[in-house]
Structure formats: structure tokens, C-alpha cells
């Protein structure tokens, strides 16, 4: 009886965790796919031709005239600054 | 502003003059406003209830000892840590009618016969938006309730074991009553946050298909920035503010009570 209860509990936790993680996993998996594979049928959980080109592209992509990594750096600095002021 | 004429599409020669409660009358008699209030109420009721129940279950389960508990706790926080916009974009990809993973899984396991257009069918769009909200919100409940669970003194359980209570009795008679103060606060916070919720529903379908997911915030946004009737939008905002003030009042009352105990 105890054993069954424990197994059921672990299965329930696994289901909840799967529900929580799946969209994140899907985002991660999609980020490594080549564009043709993003909209392929049937969808693939693991990209067949894994590529990092998505990451390279987004780094040099321009958002409102500025590069992504500039934006990223600025966001980080601003966040740190705001938090510094808050904590003091 | 909510008492003034601010309909920018039809500017009047005397500018933004005082109209009294005209804006409020217009908005309350508007069919779309009623529609969006109804949708908001359903949205709040369903998402808060589900977030709470799933969060409670997760907290109760995570409070027990098992292998990989730390990992499970870390994994559970992920939805809460992902920014709203990013999360919604991923869900849009997953909801896709032809290539979406959810449709693929559902048809593969024969839950549904043909693909569902989650964000295209007015009947399914609202539950779809709710699902994203529940997914995004339940870790917060789980973490808060987990903290509440850990503050329950262990002696109570020991005493009940001596008295011969089984684990179900323990849960109902000790855990749930002891969790009550935390749950009330979490519940009120959830309601307040859900009233002002905007990003998920807006990004998913922009209030769309045929206003099926048009919650109050989206309705106000559309009135202001699509129809350019800022007076009416301001009136709607004031009405919404009243709702959230009501719950904020309860929230403040509850937290004060907690302090005095």
C-alpha cells in the first residue's frame, strides 16, 4: 500500500513537472532547428539538423536600429543599477 | 478624462469638454463591454481556481521526501521565470493548427479526430488562453504554499500520529487549516493580478476570434487605441480600478490581521 502511494505520488509529480517544463523544452528544441524544420509535419522533438545559426542571427539582428547584444548589455546594466538602488 | 469628451475620431470645436457621466453610460450600455465583463469573470474564476488547485497539489507533493525533489522544485519554477511574452510566443507555436505540437499529440493519441484551431475557433480560444495563464501562474501558488507547508510545526503531525490519524486525516485536519492564512493571501493576489492581466490574452489572439478572448483590459485598450475613444476607455479603466480596489481592500485587511496575530 505504501509502495503504491509512493509510486502514484512520483507519477503525479512527473506529470506536473512535464506540464511545467514542456513549453520551455519546446522553445529550447525549436531554437536549434533550421527554419524548414520549425514548421514540419510531423513535428520533431529533437531537431534532426541541429544548428546554432539561430543564435548567431539573433545576436547580430537589429532591433529598432541597434544590435541585439547591445540591447542585452544595456538591459543587464539597467537591471543591476535599478536593483542596486532598491537594495540600499 | 473619464468625464470628458475625448473621442479623437470626431473632434469637437470646443475641444475636450465636460460631459458628466456620459462616458460611463455609454460604456455600461455597450454590448461589447458586457461581453468582456462576462469573459473576464469566467477567465478569473477558472484560472484562479485551476492555478490554486494545481499549485496546492504540487506543493503537497513536493513537501514529501523523494529522490530528485530539488530537481522537481527547480523545474516547477520554470514557467514562472519565463517572461510572459516569450512564453506566449512559444504557446502560439505549440497551438498552431497545422504544425503545432499539441494538435499532433492529441490526434496521435486519438483524443480528437481532426486538428483544432486553438486560436482560430472562438469556442476554444478562451480555454486556450486560460491554459497558458494557468501554466504561467501555478508555480507561484506552489512556491507560496510550499513555504506555508514548511512553517507548519512538526509536533502537530507527531501528536496526530500518536492519536492514530491516517495521512488523509492529517492532510484534511491539520495541513489545510494551517495553510488557510497563506492561501487567502495567495488567492486575493491571484485575483488582483488576473484582473489586470493583459499580455497573454492580447498576444495570443488580440482579443480575437470574434471577441472571444476579449477580457476587460483588452477591451479598454481597443477602445482607447483602436477606436480612439479615450474618454470611454478611461471610464472603463475607472470601473476596472473599482474592482481591483475592492480586492486590494480585502488583501490589505487580511495582511493586517496576519500581522496582529
Amino acid at each position: 500500500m505504501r509502495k503504491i502511494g509512493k509510486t502514484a505520488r512520483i507519477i503525479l509529480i512527473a506529470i506536473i513537472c512535464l506540464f511545467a517544463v514542456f513549453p520551455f523544452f519546446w522553445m529550447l528544441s525549436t531554437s536549434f532547428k533550421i527554419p524548414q524544420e520549425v514548421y514540419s509535419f510531423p513535428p520533431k522533438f529533437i531537431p534532426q539538423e541541429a544548428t546554432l545559426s539561430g543564435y548567431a542571427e539573433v545576436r547580430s539582428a537589429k532591433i529598432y536600429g541597434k544590435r541585439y547584444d547591445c540591447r542585452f548589455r544595456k538591459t543587464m546594466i539597467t537591471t543591476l543599477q535599478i536593483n542596486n538602488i532598491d537594495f540600499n | 478624462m473619464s468625464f470628458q469628451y475625448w473621442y479623437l475620431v470626431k473632434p469637437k470645436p470646443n475641444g475636450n469638454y465636460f460631459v458628466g457621466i456620459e462616458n460611463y453610460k455609454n460604456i455600461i450600455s455597450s454590448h461589447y463591454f458586457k461581453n468582456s465583463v462576462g469573459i473576464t469573470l469566467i477567465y478569473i474564476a477558472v484560472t484562479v481556481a485551476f492555478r490554486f488547485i494545481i499549485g496546492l497539489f504540487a506543493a503537497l507533493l513536493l513537501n514529501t521526501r523523494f529522490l530528485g525533489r530539488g530537481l522537481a522544485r527547480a523545474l516547477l519554477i520554470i514557467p514562472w521565470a519565463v517572461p510572459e511574452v516569450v512564453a506566449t510566443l512559444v504557446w502560439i507555436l505549440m497551438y498552431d493548427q497545422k504544425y503545432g505540437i499539441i494538435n499532433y499529440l492529441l490526434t496521435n493519441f486519438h483524443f480528437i479526430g481532426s486538428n483544432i484551431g486553438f486560436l482560430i475557433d472562438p469556442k476554444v480560444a478562451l480555454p486556450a488562453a486560460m491554459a497558458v495563464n494557468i501554466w504561467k501562474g501555478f508555480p507561484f501558488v506552489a512556491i507560496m504554499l510550499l513555504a506555508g507547508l514548511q512553517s507548519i510545526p512538526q509536533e502537530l503531525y507527531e501528536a496526530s500520529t500518536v492519536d492514530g490519524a491516517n495521512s488523509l486525516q492529517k492532510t484534511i485536519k491539520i495541513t489545510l487549516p494551517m495553510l488557510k492564512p497563506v492561501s487567502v493571501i495567495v488567492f486575493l493576489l491571484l485575483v488582483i493580478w488576473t484582473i489586470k492581466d493583459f499580455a497573454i490574452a492580447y498576444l495570443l489572439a488580440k482579443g480575437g476570434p470574434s471577441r472571444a478572448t476579449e477580457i476587460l483590459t483588452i477591451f479598454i485598450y481597443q477602445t482607447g487605441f483602436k477606436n480612439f475613444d479615450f474618454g470611454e476607455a478611461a471610464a472603463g479603466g475607472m470601473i476596472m480600478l473599482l474592482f481591483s480596489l475592492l480586492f486590494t481592500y480585502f488583501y490589505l485587511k487580511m495582511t493586517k490581521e496576519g500581522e496582529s496575530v
Side-chain angles (χ1 to χ4, degrees):
Chain A
M1 195 60 208
R2 265 215 113 95
K3 206 95 195 238
I4 297 172
K6 197 161 189 191
T7 323
R9 225 160 45 206
I10 291 195
I11 290 173
L12 272 177
I13 293 170
I15 290 172
I16 292 179
C17 279
L18 201 67
F19 173 60
V21 171
F22 186 74
F24 183 75
F25 164 75
W26 195 245
M27 175 165 77
L28 196 70
S29 156
T30 308
S31 75
F32 292 115
K33 285 176 182 169
I34 53 173
Q36 294 91 303
E37 229 176 347
V38 173
Y39 286 107
S40 67
F41 196 86
K44 294 185 190 70
F45 288 94
I46 310 287
Q48 219 149 42
E49 290 175 59
T51 165
L52 281 172
S53 70
Y55 287 90
E57 233 166 82
V58 89
R59 270 200 66 202
S60 56
K62 288 203 167 165
I63 309 163
Y64 295 121
K66 268 199 177 173
R67 280 165 58 102
Y68 181 82
D69 40 0
C70 294
R71 295 260 169 211
F72 186 75
R73 213 172 300 138
K74 209 156 192 178
T75 313
M76 285 299 143
I77 292 169
T78 318
T79 314
L80 289 176
Q81 280 173 343
I82 291 171
N83 283 325
N84 258 337
I85 294 165
D86 267 347
F87 282 130
N88 284 334
Chain B
M1 198 156 156
S2 66
F3 295 110
Q4 283 175 352
Y5 184 90
W6 266 88
Y7 194 29
L8 299 189
V9 178
K10 266 194 260 170
K12 293 283 167 71
N14 48 351
N16 305 319
Y17 58 92
F18 183 76
V19 291
I21 58 165
E22 196 68 25
N23 285 326
Y24 289 89
K25 263 191 205 155
N26 282 342
I27 201 168
I28 285 175
S29 62
S30 145
H31 175 67
Y32 297 133
F33 178 73
K34 280 173 200 151
N35 167 49
S36 81
V37 167
I39 287 170
T40 312
L41 289 179
I42 299 172
Y43 188 77
I44 291 173
V46 174
T47 56
V48 170
F50 269 91
R51 274 185 286 183
F52 203 86
I53 292 166
I54 299 179
L56 180 65
F57 264 105
L60 285 174
L61 290 169
L62 285 179
N63 202 32
T64 54
R65 277 182 188 284
F66 60 91
L67 192 70
R69 181 168 71 162
L71 179 70
R73 283 185 185 174
L75 289 181
L76 265 194
I77 310 183
I78 286 181
W80 196 52
V82 176
E84 262 178 347
V85 178
V86 178
T88 316
L89 291 177
V90 178
W91 276 91
I92 290 175
L93 191 65
M94 288 172 32
Y95 273 146
D96 195 281
Q97 188 174 11
K98 285 209 183 92
Y99 306 104
I101 184 76
I102 295 178
N103 266 322
Y104 173 70
L105 289 177
L106 286 178
T107 41
N108 237 17
F109 291 112
H110 301 288
F111 286 120
I112 50 171
S114 58
N115 283 2
I116 299 174
F118 284 101
L119 304 174
I120 302 164
D121 187 344
K123 285 197 203 88
V124 199
L126 188 61
M130 285 172 184
V132 181
N133 202 316
I134 292 163
W135 173 79
K136 188 90 179 61
F138 86 90
F140 172 75
V141 183
I143 297 301
M144 291 290 278
L145 293 184
L146 189 60
L149 281 174
Q150 283 170 350
S151 70
I152 298 175
Q154 212 58 44
E155 290 90 42
L156 287 175
Y157 291 109
E158 283 160 17
S160 65
T161 315
V162 173
D163 290 340
N166 62 26
S167 57
L168 185 68
Q169 280 171 326
K170 278 185 203 169
T171 313
I172 292 171
K173 291 269 164 63
I174 301 175
T175 314
L176 294 182
M178 290 295 277
L179 268 184
K180 210 180 147 206
V182 186
S183 343
V184 170
I185 286 174
V186 169
F187 175 78
L188 287 173
L189 268 182
L190 281 185
V191 173
I192 295 167
W193 284 348
T194 318
I195 290 174
K196 71 167 183 64
D197 195 40
F198 178 76
I200 291 175
Y202 186 73
L203 285 168
L204 270 181
K206 295 211 172 23
S210 63
R211 296 180 184 251
T213 60
E214 195 175 73
I215 53 177
L216 209 43
T217 41
I218 295 178
F219 172 76
I220 291 165
Y221 176 83
Q222 305 278 32
T223 318
F225 295 97
K226 292 275 152 64
N227 304 346
F228 293 105
D229 195 341
F230 285 101
E232 221 175 287
M238 291 301 293
I239 294 170
M240 205 178 90
L241 181 67
L242 275 182
F243 278 117
S244 37
L245 273 183
L246 188 76
F247 283 101
T248 315
Y249 169 73
F250 286 133
Y251 173 71
L252 289 176
K253 218 174 137 189
M254 281 297 164
T255 43
K256 271 232 178 82
E257 264 174 29
E259 276 165 15
S260 63
V261 166

